[in-house]
Amino acid sequence: MMPPTTLARRAAPVLACIGLLALWQVAALALKNDSFPTAIEAIRAIPSILGDKEALINIIASLRRMAIGFGVAVFVSIPLGLMMGRSRAVAAFFNPLLMVIYPVPKAALMPIIMLWLGVGDITKTLVIFLGVSLPVIYHSFEGAKAVEEKMLWSGAAMGLSAAQRMVWIVLPASLPEILTGCRTGLVLALITMITSEMIARQSGAGNILFNALDMGQYDTVFAMIIIVGAMGIGLDALFERVRAKLVRWSEPQFDIPLSFS
Amino acid sequence: MAEPVATRKPASSIIEIEHVSQIFQTSARKDHQALSDISLTIEEGAFVSILGPSGCGKSTLLYIVGGFVSPTGGAAKMKGKTIAGPGPDRGPVFQEFALFPWKTVLGNVTYGPRQQGMSASEADAQSRALIEMVGLKGYESFYPKELSGGMKQRVALARTLAYHPEVLLMDEPFGALDAHTRTRLQNDLLNIWERDRKTVLFVTHSVDEAVFLSDKVVMMSKSPGRIRQVIDIDLPRPRRRNELLLDPRYQKYVVDIERMFDESDEVGSRS
């Protein structure tokens, strides 16, 4: 038997979703607008999208680009951020470059990238890569900067070289912060994935969405929004499980330290 | 009562600090002389405390011996060789514990020996024995965040002892602990130290602590940090707190040292 507080915590997100859908339903019925289908109509359209082979191929292609863009970004950004956090010279070199890229909406770069690389996978993956990189670099940087000097000294006394300290001390010590950046990056990957497909209309989940919009199939549009939203929730939940496992040692789950000198 | 100086071995020096000075640049781009012309010889197997007010550079001196900081003048030598960087022959224990939070107690203690190339099973067995010695048997699989400050410092001590440094460098190790915990750790440190008499360089601002633990107390003054005086503590070992506190010789050391600090206008800068 679950204690009531656990039950409430588990039920809360479900209730929130049902509440939102109910609100949608009422609003759509009240407005009676063709371009605003009811929640039930939108949900009814979901099975036909997911049952369509073409649509599934598109969605899987989107997810594949997103996974590659995200993976490469994380792979490149973590070492870069960590080095920036531990070396003033590296930080001074990369900081202005990143500050220039940071405020530019990554989708705004797409037309240019499309001219160079075409409308295919590479362009879209590159945009996702750019979107994910910055938060991961930033959080890795902050994490590495905060690593206690004395912890590194302790490692040095044990015989760890500078490179070994980077991999075996700075990296694990910064991991909670790095994963916070990756979580933000994951959401941004989803956003840039859809926007990139909105601009380079060729395939993908975003393409289905905007094609349906062009053709006035509003129930499909809203069904796709629900699908993308669900993908976001699902990916985030999955990531959160992995993250919680990796940084169990830093979570304040034992609030009261054991009293014993 | 006891035979004085009976336990002292014929001494050979292990650490030589020769005319060390340290100048830091402050944020205002002004030079601040933290240490001025420090010369000190530390004998093998001795428990030496560096005692002084905060800001006298005593920790800096310890970091120089550790090889974590290079002196701007002079040199520190370990067994005749100039210290150029950190090494496993000199094991630090910091006030901040500096444990690896992603490692369990056992993982922290085995880290050094594993790094030194000891086999996993050997490091494991040795570390478990050390964890028991510092009084933490049963806590092997705990993470640092689950431990109290005193327990963390016990782990830090075990972690450093695990790779068998020849010299222990202790930087106000009990400074962050409450009085009761500090007393217990002082007693336990002495018990552990009396087994193998490793050379210890111990930085503290507590006169009682320095006298209770040490063979030799190096008194420092500040701005710039200099050695005021080196005092030999001729008190019998093994030392027991309840006996020592009643011993007039102990009391005299404490009072004399406190008076010397007071004379030099540094009242209140010691906490």
Side-chain angles (χ1 to χ4, degrees), chain B residues 7 58 73 118 143 162 212 215 220:
Chain B
T7 49
K58 55 192 190 298
M118 192 186 278
Y143 285 101
F212 176 60
D215 297 317
M220 287 184 68

Side-chain angles (χ1 to χ4, degrees), chain A residues 79-137:
Chain A
L80 177 61
L82 294 182
M83 280 190 282
M84 285 172 64
R86 295 313 309 176
S87 155
R88 264 166 213 238
V90 176
F93 182 80
F94 283 102
N95 221 5
L97 297 177
L98 296 174
M99 277 302 137
V100 168
I101 305 171
Y102 204 15
V104 178
K106 306 308 162 285
L109 298 172
M110 268 206 77
I112 306 167
I113 300 173
M114 275 159 66
L115 285 178
W116 299 337
L117 302 173
V119 292
D121 276 2
I122 297 175
T123 301
K124 290 174 202 153
T125 311
L126 185 64
V127 174
I128 295 170
F129 166 86
L130 289 173
V132 176
S133 294
L134 286 152
V136 179
I137 292 173

Side-chain angles (χ1 to χ4, degrees), chain B residues 42-53:
Chain B
I42 290 158
E43 285 147 11
E44 195 161 355
F47 198 121
V48 177
S49 283
I50 304 175
L51 177 67

Side-chain angles (χ1 to χ4, degrees), chain A residues 2-261:
Chain A
M2 259 189 276
T5 47
T6 314
L7 198 68
R9 209 182 56 225
R10 295 257 172 91
V14 179
L15 287 173
C17 285
I18 292 171
L20 183 69
L21 290 172
L23 206 65
W24 174 1
Q25 184 73 18
V26 171
L29 287 173
L31 286 172
K32 288 200 180 85
N33 188 326
D34 278 350
S35 61
F36 191 19
T38 64
I40 289 169
E41 284 167 338
I43 290 168
R44 275 212 195 108
I46 294 174
S48 64
I49 298 173
L50 295 182
D52 182 34
K53 201 174 157 213
E54 187 82 7
L56 270 184
I57 290 171
N58 271 305
I59 291 171
I60 288 166
S62 291
L63 286 174
R64 197 178 57 109
R65 281 193 293 272
M66 181 180 153
I68 294 170
F70 179 79
V72 176
V74 164
F75 192 74
V76 173
S77 305
I78 293 175
L80 177 61
L82 294 182
M83 280 190 282
M84 285 172 64
R86 295 313 309 176
S87 155
R88 264 166 213 238
V90 176
F93 182 80
F94 283 102
N95 221 5
L97 297 177
L98 296 174
M99 277 302 137
V100 168
I101 305 171
Y102 204 15
V104 178
K106 306 308 162 285
L109 298 172
M110 268 206 77
I112 306 167
I113 300 173
M114 275 159 66
L115 285 178
W116 299 337
L117 302 173
V119 292
D121 276 2
I122 297 175
T123 301
K124 290 174 202 153
T125 311
L126 185 64
V127 174
I128 295 170
F129 166 86
L130 289 173
V132 176
S133 294
L134 286 152
V136 179
I137 292 173
Y138 176 74
H139 283 276
S140 306
F141 167 70
E142 289 293 328
K145 217 167 55 168
V147 174
E148 237 186 296
E149 191 83 59
K150 305 264 163 84
M151 208 193 280
L152 295 167
W153 288 3
S154 297
M158 291 174 189
L160 275 88
S161 68
Q164 285 174 318
R165 293 199 292 274
M166 202 71 188
V167 177
W168 300 116
I169 296 179
V170 177
L171 177 64
S174 322
L175 199 61
E177 185 72 35
I178 291 172
L179 292 178
T180 303
C182 290
R183 197 176 172 186
T184 312
L186 192 64
V187 176
L188 283 173
L190 194 67
I191 295 170
T192 39
M193 173 191 98
I194 299 292
T195 37
S196 72
E197 290 159 357
M198 179 173 86
I199 296 165
R201 296 267 289 275
Q202 186 201 33
S203 74
N207 188 41
I208 302 175
L209 201 162
F210 292 101
N211 276 344
L213 194 64
D214 286 349
M215 291 185 280
Q217 298 165 336
Y218 297 112
D219 52 347
T220 307
V221 172
F222 281 85
M224 273 313 292
I225 291 172
I226 294 175
I227 290 171
V228 172
M231 270 159 44
I233 293 173
L235 285 169
D236 188 63
L238 193 71
F239 185 83
E240 184 51 27
R241 291 194 99 175
V242 175
R243 193 195 67 83
K245 267 228 165 81
L246 285 173
V247 297
R248 198 162 52 91
W249 52 268
S250 78
E251 302 289 283
Q253 48 185 192
F254 301 85
D255 291 324
I256 308 154
L258 297 160
S259 58
F260 171 87
S261 72

